[in-house]
């Protein structure tokens, strides 16, 4: 699966989250290709207002709007478990602003935990070149115990897991889940 | 979640699958609201070609195209299990044409089963007013053992499960999963 944003404009618009998003797409492709797990990014939710059809197979959307997502961007299955997460980048060097995550996304992650799934955030501090996996349990704890509108970096250092840069896949987030939820390393992966 | 197709044109285009899709959306809303399961329809995958931005919050997509989906339309979690399915309607009274399901969707369902998930199709014969849940295992068996380009109705009668019309939700497909995979009825549902 290639990223298929064709226009210069759209690239500019999407640029903020591009690198982490790209790394995760590459990891997901790697996981699927090697039969490690089946995880996809959901398509961008839009509201379609106008479609032209020169013919059925050639429908062209002529007017549509970006919608606020109801869920997180990524979900799938790994080692028999439902997994669900959101990924965000920040240029901030000391904190992650919580307005990057919508309230219903937090509610969604809570609900996933209640139903026995694995939920988390992947947060990249792009200026520091550090990418963390924060379990949804820790995120929810933070929100319940704080009125702050951002999560300080040191909370990540203490409560989340650094995803080390690798060659392939660059962002091997499932390796963290192995340690956290499956009591083992790569050898234990379902193949 | 409301269905938000605003234009007359788009409604016409989407009309074929509207009723079953609507019933499933209503069931999913019911399941989420009652904390029974968390299942969503994925947004329609599109390729965005042109976006105008009078301001960042007011982006308008001016040119986009429908993409062939890589996965099924629906996934989520129920009773701790990953579930994944596709839903289709046919007006045909005697068979379901297999060209309604893309090859990579079949491959996707196979992969979900391999990783320990629950996969299935929900097929409505709209003229007969019958809606069946066909486990992915049976679908894959059919495809492996047949060169036919359609599945006859009697295969559904023998290998799938009729979803009886109910008041709320109208299409209670999780009830079928209870019997098939969880060895029990509604009382056993995780609440």
């Amino acid at each position: 699966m290639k990223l298929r944003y064709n226009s210069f404009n759209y690239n500019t618009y999407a640029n903020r989250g591009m690198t982490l998003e790209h790394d995760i797409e590459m990891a997901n492709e790697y996981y699927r290709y090697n039969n490690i797990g089946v995880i996809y990014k959901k398509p961008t939710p839009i509201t379609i207002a106008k479609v032209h059809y020169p013919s059925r197979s050639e429908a062209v959307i002529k007017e549509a709007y970006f919608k606020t997502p109801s869920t997180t961007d990524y979900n799938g299955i790994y080692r028999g478990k439902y997994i669900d997460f959101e990924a965000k980048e920040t240029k901030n060097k000391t904190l992650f602003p919580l307005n990057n995550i919508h309230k219903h996304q937090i509610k969604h992650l809570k609900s996933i935990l209640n139903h026995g799934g694995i939920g988390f955030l992947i947060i990249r501090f792009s200026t520091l070149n550090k990418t963390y996996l924060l379990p949804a349990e820790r995120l929810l704890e933070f929100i319940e115990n704080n009125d702050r509108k951002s999560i300080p970096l040191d909370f990540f250092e203490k409560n989340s897991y650094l995803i080390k840069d690798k060659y392939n896949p660059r962002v091997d987030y499932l390796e963290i889940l192995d340690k956290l939820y499956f009591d083992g390393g790569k050898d234990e992966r379902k193949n």
Side-chain angles (χ1 to χ4, degrees), chain A:
Chain A
M1 195 163 62
K2 299 266 163 46
L3 289 166
R4 294 202 191 89
Y5 303 133
N6 297 326
S7 87
F8 175 73
N9 271 346
Y10 190 72
N11 270 323
T12 308
Y13 181 74
N15 200 39
R16 279 197 310 167
M18 206 57 172
T19 313
L20 178 61
E21 184 178 325
H22 181 76
D23 286 348
I24 293 175
E25 279 298 302
M26 291 301 103
N28 289 345
E29 250 185 60
Y30 175 91
Y31 296 143
R32 292 196 301 266
Y33 184 80
N34 293 287
N35 202 25
I36 291 167
V38 184
I39 299 139
Y40 281 93
K41 183 177 190 295
K42 293 182 190 171
T44 307
I46 56 161
T47 304
I48 296 170
K50 223 180 269 170
V51 184
H52 287 190
Y53 327 70
S55 74
R56 165 156 256 148
S57 56
E58 276 178 75
V60 185
I61 298 161
K62 284 294 189 185
E63 187 186 338
Y65 300 88
F66 293 103
K67 254 191 333 201
T68 308
S70 338
T71 66
T72 50
D73 269 0
Y74 300 88
N75 75 357
I77 185 167
Y78 177 55
R79 297 174 76 164
K81 294 284 271 180
Y82 175 88
I83 77 162
D84 196 298
F85 64 101
E86 186 64 29
K88 293 288 178 196
E89 282 192 88
T90 179
K91 284 181 181 164
N92 199 299
K93 292 175 196 172
T94 55
L95 50 84
F96 173 71
L98 273 171
N99 61 8
N100 279 300
I101 310 285
H102 298 292
K103 270 185 186 153
H104 39 263
Q105 291 182 314
I106 291 168
K107 205 181 146 197
H108 173 74
L109 284 170
K110 198 171 185 171
S111 181
I112 293 309
L113 298 187
N114 284 339
H115 285 277
I118 294 175
F120 52 92
L121 300 181
I122 296 180
I123 305 294
R124 174 173 290 173
F125 288 86
S126 49
T127 316
L128 307 174
N129 196 26
K130 293 202 165 174
T131 306
Y132 293 99
L133 187 149
L134 178 67
E137 290 87 343
R138 300 289 90 73
L139 171 70
L140 296 169
E141 266 170 40
F142 182 89
I143 291 165
E144 268 164 42
N145 299 318
N146 288 278
D147 286 332
R148 302 183 60 158
K149 285 176 182 163
S150 57
I151 306 180
L153 179 63
D154 86 293
F155 183 85
F156 283 94
E157 285 166 350
K158 286 172 193 154
N159 295 278
S160 74
Y161 301 85
L162 190 67
I163 305 174
K164 287 181 199 125
D165 262 19
K166 284 179 54 172
Y167 175 62
N168 188 22
R170 203 183 149 209
V171 169
D172 190 2
Y173 61 91
L174 291 183
E175 198 175 49
I176 308 283
L177 298 192
D178 284 337
K179 289 173 194 155
L180 284 178
Y181 299 98
F182 297 101
D183 195 30
K186 222 169 155 186
D187 305 337
E188 301 290 325
R189 272 180 179 171
K190 186 178 176 172
N191 273 306

